[in-house]
Amino acid sequence: MYKIVSIPGDGIGPEVVAGAVDVLRHLSKKHGFEIVIEEHPFGGASYDLHGSMLTDETLAACKECDAVLLGAVGGPKWENLPHEHKPEAALLKIRRELGLFANLRPAKVYDALIDASSLKADVVRGTDFIVFRELTGGIYFGEPRGYDEGKGWNTMVYEKHEVERIARLAFEAAQKRGSKKVMSIDKANVLEVSQFWRNEVHRVHRDFGDIELGDMYVDNAAMQIVRNPKQFDVIVTGNLFGDILSDIAGMITGSLGMLPSASIGRIHAMYEPIHGSAPDIAGKNIANPIATIASVAMMFEHSFCMPEMSAQIHEAIEAALAEGMRTADIAAPGEKTVSTTEMTAAIIRHLGA
Ligand code: NAD
Ligand code: IPM
Ligand code: MN
C-alpha cells in the first residue's frame, strides 16, 4: 500500500493534479495495487482557508506519506504579501523541511510534438537530457537576505556537502544513462561560490573515472541549450541556474506544460511539474496536464520502484499525442484543441482497461 499526499495548490494546480490523480487511481485499479491519496491545502488556497500558506497538518502529512504530488502555488492574489508569507516561500519551506535537495528535471522531446517547439525540427529532434538542479541551497536560502528603502540583498552560498551530494547523484545518473556525460554549469568566472562549486564537482568526479565531465558558464549554457540541445545528457547546476535553464528546456519540448520533475532527498520525495500556477489560464480547463501526469511516472520510478508503470504512462502520453490530442499550448495555429479533462481521458484510455 502506498500513501500519497496530493497538494493541488493554486491556479491550474487543482486542474492538473486532478488529471494526475485520475491516472494514479486508474493504474491502481487496473493492476491491483493499493494506494491511498489524501488531499491537503497548500499555498494561497491554504492561506485563504486557514490563514497560513503551509499548515502544520499539511507539513506533517507530507512527512508521513510515501510520496507527495504537488500542483503549483502562487498568483496575483497573494503576490503583495510580505515576502516571507508568499506562497513561494511556503514552497521553499516544504522543500527544505522534507530535505529535497535534488530536483530532477528531464527534458525529452516527443516525436509527435517536434513541430510544437519554437525551434527548428532538426535542432530539437532526439533531445533527451536531464537537469539535476540543487534545490535546498544557494541563493534561494542564503543569509543574509532582505531589502529596505535603499537596497536589496541576497547571499549565494554553497557548502561542501551540498555540492557533493547533488554531484554524486548526477554522476550516478550518468552511469545509468548511456552517454556517460555530465556538464556542470556555473558562473565561476565571476562568482567565488561558483568556483567553489566547480572545484567540489571535480573532486567528486575523481570517484567516477568512466564519466566525462565538462564545465560551462551559465550564460553560454542558456545559448547552447537552444543552439544544440542534443549535446547535453546530464546537467548539474545550482538552484537559481537550474530554475532558469529548465524553463528554457521546456520550450524545446514544445511547452512548459510538458516538463515533469522529481524533488528527492534521503527520506522524502515530491513530484511536481516545473511550471507554475499559470493564472492567465486558470479555471478554464485548458491547461496541459501532461507535466503533472509525467511527474506521476517519475513517482512510480523513483519512489515505488515500479518502472513498468512509468513506462506505461509514457507510452500512453505518446499514444495520445500521436492520435493528435493537443491542449492549446502544444497546438499549431488553427489546429483543433482539447481540454485538460479530455487530454487526461485520452491518456487513461491509452493505458487500457
Ligand atoms: P507559469 O509557469 O505559471 O506560466 C508561464 C506561462 O506558461 C503562462 O503563459 C502559462 O499559461 C503557461 N503555462 C504554464 N503551465 C502550463 C500548462 N500546464 N499548460 C499550458 N500552459 C502553461 O509562470 P509565471 O506566470 O511566471 O508564474 C505564475 C505563478 O506561479 C507565480 O506566482 C509563480 O511564483 C508561480 N510558480 C509556481 C511554481 C511552483 O509552484 N512550482 C513554479 C513556477 C511559478
Ligand atoms: C519552480 C518555481 C519555484 C522555484 C518558485 C515558485 C519558488 O519557479 O519550481 O521552478 O523557483 O523553485
Ligand atoms: Mn521555475
Side-chain angles (χ1 to χ4, degrees):
M1 198 263 279
Y2 293 110
K3 199 166 156 196
I4 298 160
V5 163
S6 90
I7 41 181
D10 307 319
I12 62 169
E15 300 168 55
V16 293
V17 165
V21 164
D22 285 349
V23 167
L24 270 166
R25 291 202 194 286
H26 179 84
L27 284 172
S28 104
K29 214 163 95 193
K30 181 179 171 200
H31 295 280
F33 57 84
E34 203 188 333
I35 53 166
V36 174
I37 304 174
E38 207 180 270
E39 189 177 305
H40 286 269
F42 181 54
S46 171
Y47 183 78
D48 291 352
L49 270 177
H50 303 295
S52 159
M53 295 286 175
L54 173 60
T55 62
D56 293 345
E57 285 78 11
T58 295
L59 184 58
C62 291
K63 286 184 173 168
E64 275 154 27
C65 68
D66 297 303
V68 181
L69 176 66
L70 168 79
V73 289
K77 190 170 172 193
W78 309 281
E79 73 190 7
N80 293 321
L81 286 170
H83 215 73
E84 63 279 15
H85 296 307
K86 287 186 205 276
E88 289 81 354
L91 180 56
L92 300 195
K93 181 170 178 200
I94 209 168
R95 288 173 178 167
R96 183 78 169 229
E97 286 274 340
L98 297 179
L100 310 175
F101 66 86
N103 185 215
L104 282 50
R105 297 188 156 187
K108 192 167 176 180
V109 171
Y110 288 93
D111 279 344
L113 282 193
I114 282 178
D115 293 323
S117 173
S118 48
L119 302 179
K120 291 194 186 102
D122 284 346
V123 173
V124 297
R125 188 178 288 112
T127 294
D128 179 8
F129 65 84
I130 180 163
V131 178
F132 278 69
R133 168 191 178 195
E134 198 291 323
L135 199 62
T136 50
I139 198 162
Y140 274 53
F141 292 91
E143 297 284 348
R145 61 192 300 154
Y147 67 92
D148 58 25
E149 264 138 52
K151 62 178 192 292
W153 59 95
N154 284 93
T155 307
M156 187 152 159
V157 53
Y158 269 115
E159 292 184 25
K160 206 179 178 84
H161 74 279
E162 293 177 311
V163 185
E164 163 145 20
R165 63 192 177 184
I166 186 83
R168 206 163 273 287
L169 274 192
F171 288 127
E172 284 165 3
Q175 274 176 332
K176 283 188 212 126
R177 292 165 64 98
S179 78
K180 303 202 168 183
K181 271 194 333 199
V182 172
M183 185 63 79
S184 171
I185 293 174
D186 61 37
K187 188 74 186 173
N189 50 347
V190 177
L191 304 175
E192 287 81 353
V193 59
S194 276
Q195 186 61 56
F196 177 79
W197 171 282
R198 189 178 282 209
N199 296 347
E200 284 309 302
V201 171
H202 280 263
R203 192 178 54 77
V204 176
H205 180 232
R206 288 194 218 127
D207 292 343
F208 296 87
D210 54 333
I211 305 292
E212 186 191 323
L213 170 65
D215 302 290
M216 201 178 263
Y217 298 131
V218 62
D219 46 355
N220 182 31
M223 184 276 281
Q224 293 293 342
I225 287 174
V226 287
R227 189 186 73 86
N228 174 20
K230 282 185 285 241
Q231 69 185 287
F232 298 105
D233 185 48
V234 174
I235 287 176
V236 63
T237 190
N239 207 340
L240 179 62
F241 300 156
D243 179 46
I244 297 166
L245 295 177
S246 56
D247 265 35
I248 299 178
M251 274 324 291
I252 295 169
T253 66
S255 163
L256 218 45
M258 295 297 297
L259 283 203
S261 90
S263 302
I264 60 177
R266 299 264 177 252
I267 304 166
H268 304 291
M270 185 161 91
Y271 297 86
E272 41 178 332
I274 81 156
H275 63 70
S277 59
D280 52 337
I281 58 165
K284 298 183 178 160
N285 193 25
I286 59 171
N288 188 345
I290 292 180
T292 315
I293 292 173
S295 300
V296 168
M298 295 188 84
M299 182 188 291
F300 276 111
E301 204 175 318
H302 295 276
S303 282
F304 303 159
C305 292
M306 292 166 90
E308 64 290 356
M309 293 302 130
S310 167
Q312 281 186 28
I313 294 174
H314 285 297
E315 280 159 26
I317 291 171
E318 243 173 281
L321 293 172
E323 71 172 349
M325 304 299 279
R326 296 285 184 275
T327 42
D329 56 314
I330 48 174
E335 199 174 11
K336 182 178 173 300
T337 61
V338 299
S339 65
T340 311
T341 41
E342 285 166 335
M343 178 63 97
T344 304
I347 292 168
I348 290 175
R349 175 164 44 80
H350 284 289
L351 283 170

